[in-house]
Amino acid sequence: DQQVKQNSPSLSVQEGRISILNCDYTNSMFDYFLWYKKYPAEGPTFLISISSIKDKNEDGRFTVFLNKSAKHLSLHIVPSQPGDSAVYFCAASETYKYIFGTGTRLKVLA
Amino acid sequence: GAGVSQSPSNKVTEKGKDVELRCDPISGHTALYWYRQSLGQGLEFLIYFQGNSAPDKSGLPSDRFSAERTGGSVSTLTIQRTQQEDSAVYLCASSPAGGQGLSGANVLTFGAGSRLTVL
């Protein structure tokens, strides 16, 4: 039973445009949601988080939106840059445990 | 150290052999996690440590897998009698505490991983 799903395995976006990565979850008890970025041969690095009591959090070019009624969150990157090309994982936590999605590979075309 | 350190970075072994993977978390981080990422899959939770104890081992795939943590610091993940399906990248992460705090999300810091290939 996959509690966190990223249904798009890959996404290609032109440099300068907006990238939107989506994530769905099933457990309404999740209280924090995080996005991680992963380059090949490196560990995932933290990007941005959002608490379940908020619906939006912004950090520079990165904005995360949370729709609790739909159990859906999305990561917006604008403007997209070639250096953003990586695999993006969403994660949801309930107390100490983090459940990760399967990732979306983003390719930003120059 | 400055980050989470894992060794070896790559390990190739024959089916049936035992392997040990090591994780050095960030100094002072009480929580430590092991995940694995198989080819084309997401990050699969294996085990969680708070200090030296492991209150959640629910993700360990079989009794061939075990882990320990000593001195509230270094952790070792041991896989006995390795099988080909054990081939994956094993990731270790640490965080200052195991639960969410009032200051916000309890962010995990990951190491670069240990890539295990079982022939």
Side-chain angles (χ1 to χ4, degrees):
Chain A
D1 177 30
Q2 208 171 348
Q3 296 187 66
V4 179
K5 296 179 185 179
Q6 293 177 258
N7 292 318
S8 298
S10 64
L11 174 70
S12 290
V13 171
Q14 208 64 36
E15 181 180 6
R17 305 296 291 267
I18 185 170
S19 295
I20 300 176
L21 297 100
N22 295 303
C23 180
D24 297 296
Y25 62 95
T26 57
N27 186 347
S28 58
M29 299 301 292
F30 287 140
D31 52 5
Y32 272 96
F33 303 88
L34 300 87
W35 284 93
Y36 281 79
K37 177 167 79 171
K38 186 179 185 302
Y39 293 119
E42 295 183 12
T45 55
F46 170 72
L47 262 181
I48 192 169
S49 67
I50 188 167
S51 161
S52 60
I53 62 172
K54 295 189 173 180
D55 53 21
K56 178 182 174 181
N57 189 25
E58 195 170 349
D59 184 2
R61 296 185 299 114
F62 302 92
T63 303
V64 56
F65 295 92
L66 176 63
N67 182 334
K68 281 201 303 182
S69 60
K71 295 194 179 69
H72 176 84
L73 67 155
S74 60
L75 174 68
H76 292 209
I77 308 172
V78 56
S80 301
Q81 300 173 352
D84 296 330
S85 297
V87 177
Y88 289 78
F89 292 95
C90 66
S93 84
E94 181 187 359
T95 63
Y96 63 86
K97 198 165 184 174
Y98 291 77
I99 308 296
F100 284 79
T102 51
T104 296
R105 182 178 301 277
L106 173 66
K107 188 171 184 178
V108 180
L109 307 168
Chain B
V4 177
S5 180
Q6 290 189 246
S7 60
S9 54
N10 273 289
K11 175 74 177 179
V12 180
T13 190
E14 292 179 350
K15 177 181 169 182
K17 297 284 177 99
D18 297 352
V19 297
E20 281 190 353
L21 307 176
R22 177 188 166 107
C23 173
D24 236 308
I26 292 173
S27 178
H29 279 193
T30 62
L32 186 146
Y33 303 75
W34 283 97
Y35 285 82
R36 76 174 176 181
Q37 184 181 18
S38 304
L39 192 63
Q41 302 297 313
L43 278 66
E44 175 190 4
F45 169 82
L46 297 179
I47 187 169
Y48 158 67
F49 286 93
Q50 181 58 247
N52 289 338
S53 26
D56 190 346
K57 306 178 184 180
S58 63
L60 294 178
S62 74
D63 58 9
R64 296 186 295 104
F65 287 72
S66 62
E68 65 173 13
R69 189 179 184 193
T70 54
S73 179
V74 172
S75 176
T76 303
L77 177 68
T78 301
I79 309 173
Q80 295 179 309
R81 305 181 302 282
T82 51
Q83 304 293 313
Q84 287 183 331
E85 61 262 28
D86 299 336
S87 296
V89 177
Y90 289 81
L91 291 157
C92 176
S94 69
S95 69
Q100 305 304 351
L102 294 175
S103 59
N106 185 36
V107 173
L108 302 187
T109 301
F110 282 87
S114 293
R115 179 178 295 278
L116 174 67
T117 303
V118 182
L119 301 176

